[in-house]
Amino acid sequence: MSVMVNVNGQLADQARAVIPVFDHGFLYGEGIYETVRTYNGVPFLFDRHMQRLRTSAAMIALPIPLTDREISERFDATVAAAHLGRDGHEAYIRLLITRGVGELSYDPAACPTPSVVIIAKPHVDPPAEAFALGVKTTIVSIVRNHPATVNPLIKSNNLLNCALAMQEAYTRGAFEGIMRNVHGELAECSTANLFIVKRGTVLTPPLDAGLLAGVTRAFVLEIAAALGIPAREQTLHDTDLFHADEAFLTSTTRELLPITTVDDQPIGGGIPGPVTERLLTEYRRRARALTARL
């Protein structure tokens, strides 16, 4: 197993993979990305990730030079070159598309050809104790981007807003930072979507609170509906989180991870709750079933 990088169709190891410094992804953070992981060696929810990729691209007028099938083929080649996706060695795959190489200008016409980068490396699950005991989070002072600035619906390569939030969380010894929007409403975590459970109902902030439309977030809402667990979007504030019976975060690489502490205050009983555990079990079952090879 190793790390492999595919830059515009050319494979290289991580020490030799390069992109020009005049790429606008480097100069201005102009670009979008998706993170996908495999189950059974198959990229999970690939079609949904590609749909969101194209939505993000449209929001910054960035042409995507490849079809979904061509992206899939590059995924397969990069994963195979890293000796992943087989024998139980699952892959973490990051796809980045930038404006491309051009002159020092904000004019998109300065970059005629987008750059396409794929990184494949071994997927690493969170520690088992994180699922068994839950994780500590903190509500950070960094405010989530207002949709009229850099819209959080764009899964942008420019992650400074989230990086600053996570760095603040690190200084407090937290696993994740929870961000509010400009109105003081809870939005999302720095690298994940946020859920709470109250009296058996699963609640998550609405998209218009200013957050990324998480692929895992949407899948969890579908699972809840299939299991007969009430689930809906709802505006949430700090007090809703502190008085929740359960809380959890969701992301592609971490599935559903229980939150048992916020700002040193235990949530619910300070242990993962039954609704979270039921959703996680069904999530994993479906992930394995949907990626089972014939």
Side-chain angles (χ1 to χ4, degrees):
M1 296 183 294
S2 61
V3 178
M4 290 298 295
V5 184
N6 188 319
V7 181
N8 295 321
Q10 300 298 311
L11 288 165
D13 61 32
Q14 61 181 333
R16 295 175 174 83
V18 296
I19 197 158
V21 295
F22 276 82
D23 191 290
H24 282 211
F26 173 74
L27 290 173
Y28 306 125
E30 279 195 271
I32 56 174
Y33 78 101
E34 286 289 330
T35 299
V36 182
R37 66 150 295 180
T38 64
Y39 291 87
N40 297 314
V42 177
F44 184 49
L45 300 178
F46 174 82
D47 290 346
R48 300 190 190 200
H49 281 283
M50 293 304 100
Q51 182 179 6
R52 186 173 63 180
L53 179 82
R54 295 183 186 280
T55 297
S56 294
M59 294 178 75
I60 64 170
L62 173 63
I64 297 179
L66 302 174
T67 66
D68 288 0
R69 181 174 181 177
E70 289 169 330
I71 291 173
S72 178
E73 290 170 350
R74 289 198 187 181
F75 273 20
D76 291 345
T78 311
V79 168
H83 304 290
L84 297 168
R86 60 187 183 185
D87 301 324
H89 299 307
E90 303 294 358
Y92 165 107
I93 307 167
R94 191 178 184 107
L95 166 65
L96 306 97
I97 301 180
T98 75
R99 187 75 69 192
V101 178
E103 294 300 320
L104 296 171
S105 169
Y106 289 137
D107 185 354
C111 303
T113 306
S115 298
V116 180
V117 178
I118 298 167
I119 300 169
K121 66 177 187 175
H123 169 74
V124 178
D125 286 318
E129 57 265 28
F131 291 102
L133 303 176
V135 297
K136 174 182 177 180
T137 62
T138 184
I139 299 175
V140 298
S141 63
I142 302 297
V143 174
R144 193 67 176 102
N145 286 336
H146 189 283
T149 57
V150 178
N151 195 325
L153 289 173
I154 304 168
K155 195 166 177 66
S156 167
N157 291 343
N158 189 330
L159 291 168
L160 187 58
N161 182 233
C162 293
L164 291 173
M166 192 66 239
Q167 288 160 16
E168 182 177 328
Y170 285 144
T171 65
R172 300 181 187 175
F175 180 88
E176 254 292 3
I178 298 172
M179 305 174 75
R180 306 181 185 95
N181 63 21
V182 70
H183 304 295
E185 303 160 349
L186 297 179
E188 60 183 335
C189 302
S190 64
T191 63
N193 287 118
L194 175 69
F195 287 79
I196 70 168
V197 181
K198 189 67 175 178
R199 293 187 289 276
T201 297
V202 176
L203 303 171
T204 191
L207 294 181
D208 61 15
L211 55 126
L212 180 69
V215 169
T216 304
R217 172 185 180 274
F219 194 61
V220 167
L221 290 173
E222 293 173 16
I223 291 173
L227 293 176
I229 298 172
R232 66 175 187 271
E233 294 182 338
Q234 179 173 303
T235 300
L236 300 176
H237 297 88
D238 295 9
T239 54
D240 297 305
L241 178 57
F242 286 120
H243 293 97
D245 300 319
E246 305 174 36
F248 60 91
L249 59 85
T250 61
S251 76
T252 293
T253 57
R254 290 176 290 181
E255 303 173 322
L256 288 80
L257 201 53
I259 295 172
T260 49
T261 306
V262 180
D263 291 340
D264 296 320
Q265 178 174 319
I267 301 301
I271 58 174
V275 174
T276 303
E277 292 182 342
R278 188 180 176 197
L279 288 170
L280 175 59
T281 297
E282 180 63 8
Y283 181 95
R284 288 174 169 171
R285 187 195 72 77
R286 290 190 178 213
R288 299 294 178 191
L290 288 171
T291 55
R293 296 179 184 269
L294 298 178

